[in-house]
Amino acid sequence: MCYHAFNGAFRHYVCIACRLSFKGSTWPIRKRICPGCREQLVFVGYDFAAPRRRDTKAWSVVATVLAEGLTYDHRPGCGCSPLPSFRPRTRAQVSVRRRAAERLGLPLSVTLARRDAFTAESRDEQQPSP
C-alpha cells in the first residue's frame, strides 16, 4: 500500500529564486507558477520542511539537492520502503558528499542520498532491471 496515497499528503513546491515554498493538492494536475517571479515552481516532494526565507545558506543546499534530481521524501518511491531517505541540511554536509563523489567516482546524487558519504547503503547497490 502506498503511504502517500491514503494519508491525504500535500505536494510541496518551491521557487528557489524567490525562496518561497507552497503546498498543493495531489489531484489537480496543472502548471504551478510563482506569484513573485512568474516562473514555474519545482516539485520537491511530500515531506519538505522549508528553511526560513532569509537563510540563504540553507536554500543553497536545497538548490543543490534539487539540481541533482532528488526530492525530499522520507521514504523513497511511493513511501512503502522502511528505510527513510537522507538529505543534507548544511553546506558542510554537501561539501563532504562532493569530495566523496570525486574520490569514489560516483555521481553526486548517490552520495547526497547517503547518511555516511563514504559508506555504501543497500539501496545504492540496486541495479536497474532490464
Side-chain angles (χ1 to χ4, degrees), residues 11 13 24-32:
R11 293 174 172 236
Y13 297 90
S25 173
T26 58
W27 291 108
I29 306 299
R30 62 185 171 96
K31 190 174 178 182
R32 310 229 182 236

Side-chain angles (χ1 to χ4, degrees), residues 27-69:
W27 291 108
I29 306 299
R30 62 185 171 96
K31 190 174 178 182
R32 310 229 182 236
I33 304 293
C34 175
C37 65
R38 309 302 294 165
E39 293 294 322
Q40 187 169 358
L41 296 174
V42 179
F43 173 68
V44 291
Y46 292 96
D47 302 317
F48 177 69
R52 292 183 182 258
R53 189 170 182 191
R54 63 180 169 258
D55 190 358
T56 56
K57 292 179 181 179
W59 277 101
S60 69
V61 172
V62 171
T64 303
V65 169
L66 294 177
E68 291 300 318

